[in-house]
Amino acid sequence: MWNSVISTPGARYACADAKNFYLCTPLDCYEYMRLPIKLIPQEFIDLYNLAPKVKNGYVYMEIQRGMYGLPQSGIFANKLLKERLAKHGYHKLPHTSGLFKHDSRPVWFTLVVDDFGIKYIGEEHAKHLIGILQEFYEMEVDWDGSLYSGISLDWEYKNYHVDISMPKYVQNSSSNSIGQNQ
């Protein structure tokens, strides 16, 4: 995608993050869970009046929306996103995982979990996509396209160049204890 952006005249790149992407997704079938009351802080027990709901040391709950740690949350969130975007002309491309394109607008995007990497020609086309996403999700948009899935991007469109880095991914060897006797 990034090579495509720098090699396409007039193309630009933006990043967007859908806040609570999984948490906004209704489940097709509800899930159920029990949680030991001893793991719940007293302030939450009091706030949500959980004490009367304790049975044999557990609080039982019904899960109606996606949540982190629930394996199917990602599948349901992705399925719902595809349905919502298809109504506006956006479709997943068949041979590249996570790559989407609009039927007629010059806008493409990659999706990794809840991060959108958007290639566009003409800001109005990227705004079209963002506007649709904002109907359903709280979106944080980075029009400079400087951070995608933890990867820092420094764009030099005029020179057909992008620098990619992951600052602080590998600690500076002088600041850690690798190879040092303790």
Side-chain angles (χ1 to χ4, degrees), residues 1-167:
M1 173 66 91
W2 300 328
N3 281 331
S4 178
V5 172
I6 60 172
S7 63
T8 303
R12 294 293 181 263
Y13 191 79
C15 300
D17 179 46
K19 299 296 178 193
N20 298 320
F21 185 60
Y22 289 173
L23 307 179
C24 295
T25 305
L27 299 177
D28 288 351
C29 291
Y30 295 163
E31 294 284 337
Y32 299 88
M33 178 174 116
R34 71 179 189 167
L35 187 64
I37 191 69
K38 65 183 179 185
L39 296 180
I40 302 174
Q42 188 62 46
E43 64 185 287
F44 290 113
I45 294 170
D46 297 340
L47 180 66
Y48 296 104
N49 194 27
L50 297 178
K53 297 175 173 96
V54 176
K55 304 285 187 244
N56 299 321
Y58 292 93
V59 176
Y60 294 82
M61 58 199 79
E62 182 177 75
I63 302 167
Q64 299 180 358
R65 294 190 173 273
M67 61 184 275
Y68 301 111
L70 190 62
Q72 61 269 43
S73 292
I75 294 166
F76 286 129
N78 195 279
K79 178 183 170 193
L80 182 59
L81 174 71
K82 287 181 199 175
E83 290 171 7
R84 289 171 169 171
L85 289 176
K87 294 176 185 175
H88 298 277
Y90 293 91
H91 300 282
K92 185 181 171 306
L93 295 177
H95 301 295
T96 306
S97 181
L99 180 62
F100 293 75
K101 184 184 183 324
H102 190 270
D103 293 335
S104 60
R105 292 176 179 268
V107 61
W108 304 256
F109 69 88
T110 55
L111 175 63
V112 175
V113 185
D114 59 359
D115 293 328
F116 295 78
I118 307 163
K119 172 188 173 183
Y120 61 94
I121 301 171
E123 193 172 295
E124 69 275 13
H125 300 296
K127 286 182 177 180
H128 178 262
L129 172 62
I130 298 296
I132 293 164
L133 293 171
Q134 287 175 331
E135 290 178 27
F136 305 104
Y137 311 100
E138 180 185 340
M139 299 298 298
E140 185 175 302
V141 181
D142 168 16
W143 287 104
D144 293 330
S146 61
L147 185 65
Y148 180 65
S149 289
I151 300 171
S152 294
L153 302 151
D154 184 17
W155 295 95
E156 293 183 36
Y157 297 109
K158 290 179 184 176
N159 295 325
Y160 304 101
H161 183 82
V162 60
D163 281 325
I164 304 166
S165 64
M166 294 181 77

